[in-house]
Amino acid sequence: MSLVTRIATAAILVAATLGSASAKEWKTVRVGTEGAYPPFNFVENGELKGFDVDIAKAVCEKMKVTCTFVAQDWDGIIPALLAGKYDVIVASMSATPERAKQVLFSDKYYNTPASFIAPKDTKITETTPAGMKGKVIGAQGSTIHSSYLEDVYAKQGIEVKLYGKQDEANLDLANGRLDAILADKIMLMDWLASKEGACCGFIGPEYKDEKYFTPVAAAFRKDDAGLAAMFNKGLAEIIADGTYKKINDKYFPFSVY
């Protein structure tokens, strides 16, 4: 072996050694979720539960890691990830291009449309900006739904109110302080089936504009690509072996994938 070949081989070995040494070995993963977005994530008897939580637990099992869960208010959920409060967000976060500038997204784990709801005695006959003229409409802030309302409705002079939590918007609708709400249709179905949601019902079409209503994925820090790859592998496995369907069927009478 020539001197040049020996030097090149040694350099390759050193690089490989450094690479393996620097790669993080994940044994415990901290999962951030909101805990205020039923049926996807909520708190019951002091414990985080819901579709997001069950999906995360199933993927963690495939990843062979121990997962712990952290509740975080929605408007600070990405900053807390970047600050190291947890390692991954599994909280019904849509994988938008704007968010992708800050975080690394996994493959999608569900995709559902948005819809408006309004009081059952509403006089709204169409949900276009023209049909909503003079109305006050709401959404949870820092979501794809608020972005859509701000871009499409507020620019047409429609008053848009944003809330820190979805429950706060729902309460204002039930109490007559809003004329309509735009949110994830599946989440709204859960609320409409409750005693508090009996006031209201769906109006207008489903909204699926891919510019705004992108699929839901888990979010990671950009330097944790290895963890994201592990998550994607685990997600593919629970889809393939039927675990995903069992979780889906626990919460919904149709596929949300």
Side-chain angles (χ1 to χ4, degrees):
M1 181 183 294
S2 69
L3 177 61
V4 172
T5 302
R6 288 198 299 272
I7 291 173
T9 301
I12 291 170
L13 291 172
V14 169
T17 301
L18 290 174
S20 61
S22 63
K24 183 169 181 177
E25 184 178 352
W26 292 94
K27 294 183 179 179
T28 300
V29 175
R30 298 163 299 164
V31 181
T33 195
E34 185 186 13
Y37 199 69
F40 296 102
N41 57 77
F42 57 93
V43 178
E44 185 176 88
N45 298 322
E47 182 182 355
L48 284 163
K49 295 184 177 181
F51 179 79
D52 292 325
V53 176
D54 286 358
I55 290 293
K57 286 179 177 178
V59 172
C60 286
E61 186 174 341
K62 296 296 185 182
M63 291 165 60
K64 295 181 171 55
V65 298
T66 299
C67 278
T68 59
F69 290 82
V70 180
Q72 170 65 48
D73 287 346
W74 181 256
D75 59 1
I77 204 162
I78 288 180
L81 171 71
L82 300 180
K85 185 175 179 179
Y86 34 77
D87 306 303
V88 56
I89 297 169
V90 185
S92 290
M93 178 172 284
S94 297
T96 66
E98 189 65 27
R99 289 172 179 155
K101 295 175 183 177
Q102 299 183 74
V103 300
L104 175 65
F105 282 111
S106 71
D107 296 336
K108 81 160 187 179
Y109 68 91
Y110 81 83
N111 191 18
T112 52
S115 288
F116 278 104
I117 58 171
K120 289 180 177 176
D121 61 356
T122 184
K123 299 298 190 293
I124 298 171
T125 57
E126 59 177 88
T127 56
T128 62
M132 293 286 203
K133 187 176 181 180
K135 306 300 183 183
V136 182
I137 55 179
Q140 183 176 11
S142 301
T143 63
I144 55 175
H145 311 103
S146 64
S147 295
Y148 185 73
L149 291 185
E150 289 177 309
D151 285 359
V152 178
Y153 288 77
K155 290 180 180 179
Q156 295 293 320
I158 312 302
E159 184 178 351
V160 173
K161 292 184 67 175
L162 304 181
Y163 297 82
K165 297 181 184 297
Q166 186 64 46
D167 284 348
E168 295 169 356
N170 296 348
L171 181 62
D172 265 10
L173 182 69
N175 288 333
R177 291 188 284 268
L178 287 174
D179 294 298
I181 284 174
L182 182 71
D184 180 89
K185 185 171 185 177
I186 309 307
M187 184 281 302
L188 290 174
M189 287 176 65
D190 189 67
W191 183 69
L192 292 174
S194 70
K195 181 180 179 181
E196 294 79 11
C199 60
C200 305
F202 287 110
I203 57 170
E206 294 180 345
Y207 289 80
K208 302 178 181 179
D209 184 343
E210 293 184 1
K211 179 181 176 182
Y212 295 96
F213 305 110
T214 49
V216 167
F220 304 82
R221 290 180 290 272
K222 289 197 176 229
D223 57 359
D224 284 337
L227 180 59
M230 290 171 61
F231 187 96
N232 284 338
K233 182 174 182 294
L235 178 60
E237 289 175 1
I238 69 167
I239 292 171
D241 70 9
T243 302
Y244 182 97
K245 185 177 185 305
K246 288 180 181 177
I247 296 170
N248 183 107
D249 294 351
K250 175 181 174 182
Y251 294 95
F252 314 112
F254 45 80
S255 174
V256 298
Y257 189 78

